Amino acid sequence: MPEGKIIKALSGFYYVLGEEGIVQCRGRGVFRKNKVNPLVGDYVVYQAENDREGYILEVKERKNELVRPPISNVDQAILVFSAVEPEFSTTLLDRFLVLIEFNHITPIICITKMDLTDVAQKSSIAQYASDYQKAGYTVILTSSETELGIKELTPFLEGGISVFAGQSGVGKSSLLNVLRPDLDILTNEISTHLGRGKHTTRHVELIKVGNGLVADTPGFSSLEFTDIEAEQLSQCFPEIALEGEKCKYRGCFHLSEPKCAVKAAVLQEQIPEYRFNHYKDFLQEIKERKPRY
């Protein structure tokens, strides 16, 4: 039986890219019975009824999967955040980073709309970029209007599956239009009444950019830590995980424990205070989470 990769899911159909091209497939009823939900990015075995239609018979094992956006086998996430309009949010960025780290996906931070910043905003973004780079992240400052940073971003998209994710209205679609001008993806301005972008991307689809596949995903502004346990959270903050190895007590939560290396690093400004505060807030959120049965 032929094998391929799901590159788009829409209205109950799965578009599978195989050796013979793209085949529009439906999932077998057994998937619903076994609660298997094929995702964009899945490697599948399918049976072709003809050149254009077929059925998915089997979903291969995934190396990872995301719930929002619903996609699997992701190699890296391009986390797109605007410097302004909407205002840059370290809280939201850190929520994304925690989920991406937890799923063992390589994150790349892309800060857009740098052409709209004034001198003070540029300085603020430069400081944030420095903080995240010191934590070990790749940070690229971009502008879809001036094409700032596009040459730096392009090599990261070569090979594998990259997902473009971020809040609505930050310019994900505009960035993809610069990377592949023939796409002409619909974009909308920020809603001045709501202060956020209108949703212009309504389904997940893998798009060929260079020698890689890129997913432009629906924007969203809330993320839940449903699968992360309190003991795992510190590992999703690289600089906290690194300093945490020096703590006197194993299993230190870096809250009130004595001789905590993480708290010492915050006091010495080796770890930004806002990152540590986000860690504490997220930890509290996880501890207060209602148990699932």
Side-chain angles (χ1 to χ4, degrees):
M1 291 291 178
E3 297 185 7
K5 180 187 294 181
I6 298 176
I7 60 168
K8 181 167 74 168
L10 188 63
S11 303
F13 288 100
Y14 303 97
Y15 297 82
V16 179
L17 177 62
E19 290 185 5
E20 303 300 319
I22 297 173
V23 180
Q24 177 181 285
C25 295
R26 283 194 178 277
R28 286 289 193 194
V30 70
F31 289 138
R32 286 189 294 275
K33 181 181 175 184
N34 296 334
K35 295 184 179 179
V36 173
N37 183 30
L39 296 175
V40 169
D42 275 343
Y43 294 96
V44 298
V45 178
Y46 66 96
Q47 181 178 14
E49 301 288 295
N50 52 53
D51 289 345
R52 299 195 172 189
E53 297 177 310
Y55 287 92
I56 293 174
L57 303 178
E58 179 190 349
V59 175
K60 298 283 191 178
E61 186 177 353
R62 298 165 180 156
K63 72 175 182 179
N64 57 45
E65 64 180 273
L66 298 176
V67 177
R68 297 180 65 184
I71 188 170
S72 68
N73 299 315
V74 178
D75 295 297
Q76 64 183 4
I78 315 295
L79 301 181
V80 185
F81 278 71
S82 57
V84 292
E85 299 180 17
E87 186 179 351
F88 184 70
S89 168
T90 57
T91 307
L92 191 56
L93 174 55
D94 285 346
R95 293 187 80 88
F96 271 89
L97 284 169
V98 164
L99 285 168
I100 294 303
E101 291 278 3
F102 181 71
N103 283 282
H104 306 292
I105 297 169
T106 301
I108 304 219
I109 300 169
C110 178
I111 303 177
T112 62
K113 303 187 183 181
M114 288 303 296
D115 57 299
L116 301 181
T117 56
D118 59 28
V119 173
Q121 290 165 334
K122 273 189 175 65
S123 175
S124 175
I125 293 297
Q127 182 58 57
Y128 284 131
S130 174
D131 290 344
Y132 283 100
Q133 285 167 336
K134 285 176 183 173
Y137 293 111
T138 297
V139 182
I140 302 173
L141 307 183
T142 68
S143 164
S144 297
E145 292 298 317
T146 66
E147 299 197 9
L148 169 76
I150 300 301
K151 285 184 179 178
E152 287 83 0
L153 178 61
T154 303
F156 287 102
L157 306 179
E158 293 296 305
I161 295 177
S162 302
V163 64
F164 271 52
Q167 192 179 12
S168 298
V170 295
K172 298 189 300 294
S173 295
S174 297
L175 205 55
L176 278 171
N177 282 337
V178 175
L179 291 163
R180 250 196 70 178
D182 59 302
L183 290 174
D184 197 24
I185 299 170
L186 178 67
T187 60
N188 276 334
E189 297 300 317
I190 296 291
S191 164
T192 53
H193 176 64
L194 295 174
R196 61 175 185 260
K198 301 170 187 176
H199 293 259
T200 53
T201 309
R202 301 192 179 276
H203 65 275
V204 180
E205 180 175 359
L206 291 177
I207 302 161
K208 192 170 178 59
V209 175
N211 292 319
L213 292 169
V214 169
D216 182 23
T217 64
F220 48 89
S221 55
S222 66
L223 301 124
E224 304 296 327
F225 301 132
T226 52
D227 297 320
I228 303 175
E229 299 301 331
E231 296 78 10
Q232 298 171 308
L233 181 64
S234 64
Q235 298 303 309
C236 300
F237 286 79
E239 70 275 54
I240 292 178
L242 188 64
E243 287 298 323
E245 293 177 1
K246 304 173 189 174
C247 290
K248 181 177 180 180
Y249 297 102
R250 289 190 64 181
C252 182
F253 279 112
H254 322 305
L255 297 176
S256 56
E257 299 91 339
K259 297 188 178 179
C260 171
V262 170
K263 286 188 292 182
V266 175
L267 288 173
Q268 294 164 12
E269 299 185 353
Q270 294 172 353
I271 294 176
E273 189 173 7
Y274 65 87
R275 285 274 287 170
F276 183 57
N277 287 338
H278 294 161
Y279 162 77
K280 291 190 293 184
D281 290 343
F282 299 165
L283 185 64
Q284 186 71 18
E285 182 180 326
I286 290 169
K287 287 183 174 181
E288 292 176 353
R289 184 178 62 205
K290 291 181 180 177
R292 291 179 298 163
Y293 298 103

